[in-house]
Amino acid sequence: MTIDDAPRDALRGGPRELLRWVATGAAVSRADLSRLSGLSPSTVSQRVEALINQGLLEEAGAGRSRGGRRPRQLAVPTGGAVVGAIDLGAHHARVGTLDLSGRVVRGRTLPVRIEDGPEQVLGALLAEVAALAAASDEPPAAGLTPSATASTAADGAAGVLRGIGIGIPGPVQHATGRIVSPSRMPGWNGFDVAAFCAGRVDVPIIVDNDANLMALGAHRTAHSELDHAVYIKAGTGIGSGVISSGRLHRGAQGSAGDISHCRVVADPAPLCSCGNAGCLEAVASGAALVTALRDQGVPVSDLTGVIRLIDDGDRHATALARQAGRAIGEILAVVVNFFNPQVVAIGGRLADCEPLLASMRATLYERCLPLATQTLLIERVAASQDIGITGAAHLVIDHVVAAA
């Protein structure tokens, strides 16, 4: 059983939990870890020593004495080891390096053409991660924007790469790292991302769906104390990630949370990229809104244009956004009634669309059982371009900790 498969109670005081407590500042000594975990000092010391030997923790001097010997303070190394992360989209990719606490060291947003194929796209992004890992702590060149060059979120230094996490905007068989029947990724079906990347970099490669990475990043950042959550990524497409018992839930083959091809009652039912009619993605995604507005004679080229129209109060775009929110809410109502999460959070570019969010929220309250919504949080994912790479980094950190 891997650390991802272990139930939440079994992780109490496990290596990942100890590392997280030190990374967040909740614990600075072995005594703190023993108190938080309920484990004996000897057990905590054994686990801490294993993490130190793996370079995941370090001793950072002596702390304040409380009557006895001054305790040795613990810290997550901020220099040296880093993990790489790639959050791939249809038109852009966010790449970065993060330290072992999950804090972004350096990040960069790059334009991509998903239709260029996996070898070209992934090859370029792997080279970018390697360059960021090798980068010094010099600031970006004057006159260049953060989206065009490396942007420093913390003092960056050249580091030893411990692994790379990769998010793919399509169905991923997590156990193998292989892409399975993606809708908008020509030339990617059946491609073994993990094997391709492993042949080019000598570090562990962890591959997952981009919505799962957003869910993991958002959960670790904002709601790590909650056990059950659903995170929706609504942009050009629609997906979701599920947190169950405090861990990412992928299901038997890795398709858990894929709400994009659940059927929504619509008349007429638009054809979906998967070949079926009336799928949620064909009705409520950013791509669907672009198509619907064009069909109404509204000149719009992409999702950015749609959002601009909504912000300007365009009645056609606003009405479509409300319809999309209702459609998403109808599917999520089934999920909420069935799964009973503590939080439903929406991220992606459509998350800032107020008419869509209000309509989704109203539909959830209308369609869900009162017990399911009694304490349910319905909110936006904290706006951050780094949520996806944060989730990717945590996948790698969990893998490294499990190996330790």
Side-chain angles (χ1 to χ4, degrees), residues 212-222 387-388 390-392 394:
N212 280 347
L213 296 190
M214 188 202 76
L216 187 60
H219 190 255
R220 295 280 178 90
T221 301
I387 283 292
T390 298
H394 277 289

Side-chain angles (χ1 to χ4, degrees), residues 61 81 203 214 260 279 363 398:
V203 295
M214 188 202 76
S260 57
C279 296
T363 304
D398 290 351

Side-chain angles (χ1 to χ4, degrees), residues 162-241:
R162 299 294 297 267
I164 300 175
I166 302 174
I168 300 293
V172 175
Q173 192 174 49
H174 175 71
T176 65
R178 190 180 295 274
I179 300 175
V180 182
S181 301
S183 297
R184 291 188 172 89
M185 301 176 69
W188 290 71
N189 183 37
F191 189 77
D192 193 333
V193 176
F196 173 83
C197 296
R200 283 154 179 78
V201 291
D202 190 23
V203 295
I205 301 294
I206 313 294
V207 186
D208 212 329
N209 172 261
D210 62 342
N212 280 347
L213 296 190
M214 188 202 76
L216 187 60
H219 190 255
R220 295 280 178 90
T221 301
H223 291 300
S224 61
E225 78 286 357
L226 300 181
D227 288 332
H228 310 295
V230 176
Y231 296 91
I232 303 94
K233 186 172 184 179
T236 301
I238 291 182
S240 74

